[in-house]
Amino acid sequence: GFASVTRVAGGNPAVWNDILATNADEIAGALRELCSDLERVADDLGRPHPELASALDLIDRARTLGRPPH
């Protein structure tokens, strides 16, 4: 659940300073992409007859990213 997703954020905040500074462009791009994806899902789910495909696709992509390597 939520605790698993946020566990990494519980680490030493000083470490995040270096991570964010070193990877700022990549992180910013990933956040923009995520915001776009979430906006599309919100729009699709907010329709009178919700369209589920974008939400299911986002969930599937997240599941795939979360899999450990073989």
Side-chain angles (χ1 to χ4, degrees), residues 23-40:
N23 301 288
D25 288 340
E26 293 83 2
I27 294 169
L31 288 171
R32 285 186 190 97
E33 184 178 339
L34 177 60
C35 287
S36 176
D37 289 344
L38 292 174
E39 189 73 35
R40 183 173 41 259

